[in-house]
């Protein structure tokens, strides 16, 4: 931790002092105490170690655990100074006793409290959920910012997001784009990844924005940014074509089971209808890639219904339920969409279905398998044009 109390109760933050002052504080003339448990703590500092305090090994303090090293301490201090320079009321490592949690930073903005967690190592998703819901129950808004060392970039508009990072996707309202935030203390830059859409289980495309700390305030950090229709259109055309043409010589797990399932139906991947593997904003709620769960809906529900017949949302959920994640696994998304309903609505835009009620749809077109690869790729492209033409942004 960066702060401790002196005998007189005053808080002290050595990391903000000149090196000579830190050496004086470390000389042994002063005694320091944890602001939370009141036990004595030790000041540690060096050429490669940012000045901070540590408990004794046998200390019993609710804040012990989860130390993330100098990179984390440096980033936390930079963010603290950044918020202070904006004239905001901010506390460093302020303990919230009613939930026994200590955010890295606690900011007061008008009548709101915002807890900022600067996370530089992976932790269990259960801990993310527990800490986030704790803040929410205390009426505290929360912003998780990841250390940029955790960012796995796969191109100018693509990141790899594992289950840990997925749990840190923010969406403050239905109108707010799905967002993840990063900060690098070495370059003093924020990196925002917004308006993201998963193309498979762990890779998402979105709007990547890099902004210097000094040229960004809190409001600007949280502002909305979207991928243009044209860029999304091109990305998804390339993705659909890649999906059609890709050849994997070794497949495992669900992918292997899915290919065997298609083979038993006498269907090859190249023949799949163009309505399989469409962009779904809430795809983060699925354990498997879109081509698996969407083809289940197509072959196990839609293909079995005659023209004019009714398709229900519950039917489609039933065939995908084992692959659906709980919205509770994503505590920072306040208004999660239903990916199955989202897919059925896309099929309405594609001219396959027509909505008849909140949860039912009428089938208005047959679903055709492709017989030629070139035709399949052309039809994929035309369908993507149609879908993004109707996209709101």
């Amino acid at each position: 931790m960066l702060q401790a109390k002196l005998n007189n109760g005053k808080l002290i933050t050595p990391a903000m002092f000149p090196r000579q002052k830190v050496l004086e504080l470390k000389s042994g003339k002063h005694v320091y105490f944890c602001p939370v448990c009141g036990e004595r703590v030790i000041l540690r500092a060096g050429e490669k170690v940012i000045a901070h305090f540590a408990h004794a090994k046998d200390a019993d303090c609710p804040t012990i655990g989860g130390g993330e090293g100098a990179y984390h301490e440096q980033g936390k201090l930079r963010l603290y100074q950044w918020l202070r320079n904006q004239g905001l009321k901010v506390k460093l490592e302020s303990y919230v006793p009613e939930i026994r949690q200590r955010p890295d930073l606690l900011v007061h903005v008008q009548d709101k409290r915002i807890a900022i967690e600067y996370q530089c190592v992976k932790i269990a998703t259960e801990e993310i959920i527990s800490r986030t819901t704790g803040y929410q129950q205390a009426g505290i808004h929360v912003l998780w910012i990841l250390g940029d060392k955790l960012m796995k970039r796969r191109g100018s508009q693509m990141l790899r997001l594992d289950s840990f990072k997925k749990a840190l996707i923010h969406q403050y309202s239905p109108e707010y784009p799905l967002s993840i935030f990063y900060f690098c203390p070495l370059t003093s830059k924020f990196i925002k990844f917004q308006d993201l859409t998963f193309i498979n289980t762990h890779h998402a495309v979105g709007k990547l924005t890099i902004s210097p700390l000094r040229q960004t305030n809190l409001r600007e950090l949280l502002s909305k940014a979207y991928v243009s229709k044209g860029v999304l259109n091109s990305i998804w055309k390339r993705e659909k074509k890649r999906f059609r043409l890709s050849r994997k010589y070794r497949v495992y797990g669900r992918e292997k089971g899915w290919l065997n399932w298609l083979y038993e139906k006498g269907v090859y991947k190249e023949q799949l209808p163009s309505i399989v593997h469409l962009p779904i904003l809430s795809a983060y709620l699925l354990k498997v890639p879109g081509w698996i769960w969407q083809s289940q809906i197509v072959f196990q529900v839609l293909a079995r219904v005659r023209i004019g017949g009714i398709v229900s949302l519950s039917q489609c959920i039933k065939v995908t339920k084992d692959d659906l994640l709980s919205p509770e696994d994503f505590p920072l998304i306040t208004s999660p969409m239903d990916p199955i309903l989202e897919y059925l609505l896309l099929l309405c835009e594609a001219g396959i279905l027509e909505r008849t009620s909140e949860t039912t749809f009428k089938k208005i077109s047959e679903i055709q398998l492709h017989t030629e690869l070139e035709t399949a790729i052309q039809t994929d492209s035309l369908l993507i044009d149609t879908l993004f033409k109707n996209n709101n942004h």
Side-chain angles (χ1 to χ4, degrees):
M1 59 184 176
L2 294 175
Q3 289 188 324
K5 281 186 177 181
L6 296 171
N7 273 320
N8 60 8
K10 182 180 178 181
L11 282 171
I12 186 171
T13 312
M16 298 182 68
F17 297 157
R19 178 169 173 73
Q20 192 60 40
K21 177 66 175 177
V22 173
L23 292 174
E24 179 190 332
L25 293 171
K26 197 182 173 186
S27 65
K29 297 178 182 179
H30 303 276
V31 179
Y32 308 105
F33 302 91
C34 173
V36 177
C37 68
E39 293 191 27
R40 286 186 63 169
V41 291
I42 304 162
L43 173 59
R44 292 178 176 169
E47 290 186 7
K48 297 183 179 180
V49 178
I50 191 169
H52 68 284
F53 296 95
H55 287 82
K57 290 183 179 179
D58 58 350
D60 181 21
C61 178
T63 66
I64 289 178
E68 300 175 58
Y71 180 87
H72 171 256
E73 298 296 313
Q74 185 180 0
K76 182 165 55 175
L77 187 62
R78 290 276 176 87
L79 292 171
Y80 172 67
Q81 294 168 326
W82 170 68
L83 291 163
R84 284 187 62 186
N85 291 339
Q86 295 173 55
L88 296 172
K89 183 181 178 183
V90 54
K91 294 180 180 178
L92 185 65
E93 302 170 339
S94 179
Y95 186 62
V96 185
E98 64 265 34
I99 55 174
R100 293 174 62 85
Q101 291 178 213
R102 184 185 63 175
D104 289 323
L105 302 160
L106 188 62
V107 192
H108 292 256
V109 181
Q110 297 176 349
D111 59 343
K112 295 179 181 178
R113 288 186 297 169
I114 303 173
I116 296 180
E117 293 282 13
Y118 182 53
Q119 193 64 39
C120 297
V121 297
K122 285 188 178 182
I123 56 176
T125 53
E126 291 80 9
E127 185 175 349
I128 295 170
I129 294 167
S130 174
R131 285 161 65 177
T132 299
T133 54
Y135 292 129
Q136 292 168 343
Q137 289 167 5
I140 300 172
H141 300 269
V142 61
L143 168 63
W144 289 78
I145 301 176
L146 290 166
D148 85 312
K149 289 183 177 180
L150 292 170
M151 187 174 70
K152 303 297 181 184
R153 196 165 176 175
R154 294 294 182 267
S156 61
Q157 295 144 332
M158 184 186 297
L159 296 186
R160 188 182 193 282
L161 302 175
D162 56 19
S163 57
F164 159 69
K165 298 188 191 79
K166 284 183 183 180
L168 295 174
I169 297 174
H170 297 65
Q171 188 183 41
Y172 294 110
S173 70
E175 297 78 27
Y176 195 83
L178 298 175
S179 306
I180 296 182
F181 304 91
Y182 295 87
F183 175 65
C184 176
L186 304 179
T187 61
S188 292
K189 288 181 179 178
F190 287 112
I191 305 161
K192 290 195 299 184
F193 189 54
Q194 293 188 294
D195 196 24
L196 58 95
T197 308
F198 283 88
I199 61 171
N200 57 40
T201 313
H202 292 303
H203 292 87
V205 295
K207 176 70 172 179
L208 205 62
T209 307
I210 301 173
S211 55
L213 184 75
R214 291 183 178 180
Q215 298 175 20
T216 309
N217 59 36
L218 183 59
R219 182 182 292 274
E220 290 166 342
L221 176 64
L222 298 177
S223 63
K224 305 173 187 177
Y226 296 95
V227 185
S228 70
K229 282 192 212 178
V231 170
L232 270 178
N233 186 302
S234 297
I235 289 173
W236 272 96
K237 283 181 179 178
R238 287 198 304 269
E239 169 57 22
K240 292 279 282 182
K241 186 174 183 178
R242 182 210 62 80
F243 173 70
R244 292 279 185 196
L245 298 176
S246 65
R247 297 286 187 275
K248 293 182 180 179
Y249 296 101
R250 293 183 181 180
V251 290
Y252 306 93
R254 284 301 302 278
E255 187 81 8
K256 183 177 181 179
W258 174 71
L259 288 171
N260 289 337
W261 176 73
L262 285 180
Y263 180 75
E264 290 170 1
K265 295 180 178 298
V267 178
Y268 293 96
K269 187 176 70 170
E270 296 84 357
Q271 296 176 288
L272 285 172
S274 294
I275 58 172
V276 169
H277 191 27
L278 297 183
I280 302 295
L281 290 176
S282 52
Y284 60 85
L285 283 165
L286 275 299
K287 302 174 188 176
V288 294
W291 55 83
I292 292 182
W293 66 268
Q294 292 176 23
S295 61
Q296 289 174 330
I297 291 174
V298 168
F299 289 109
Q300 293 183 242
V301 180
L302 302 181
R304 297 177 180 179
V305 176
R306 69 184 189 281
I307 297 294
I310 297 299
V311 173
S312 71
L313 177 61
S314 60
Q315 285 177 291
C316 299
I317 290 175
K318 186 176 180 179
V319 301
T320 56
K321 62 184 172 90
D322 291 339
D323 292 320
L324 283 167
L325 295 167
S326 170
E328 294 179 359
D329 294 335
F330 305 89
L332 294 160
I333 298 178
T334 56
S335 303
M337 297 177 66
D338 181 335
I340 311 305
L341 176 59
E342 191 181 342
Y343 180 56
L344 295 178
L345 292 174
L346 276 186
L347 295 185
C348 291
E349 293 185 35
I352 302 297
L353 300 177
E354 181 181 280
R355 195 171 192 176
T356 54
S357 75
E358 288 293 312
T359 58
T360 59
F361 299 80
K362 182 170 68 174
K363 183 177 176 180
I364 58 175
S365 295
E366 287 290 0
I367 297 166
Q368 302 291 335
L369 294 177
H370 292 291
T371 57
E372 295 181 358
L373 182 57
E374 184 177 348
T375 303
I377 293 172
Q378 290 174 351
T379 307
D380 290 346
S381 180
L382 290 172
L383 178 57
I384 291 299
D385 283 338
T386 298
L387 296 180
F388 283 109
K389 181 179 179 182
N390 297 328
N391 189 283
N392 290 327
H393 59 263

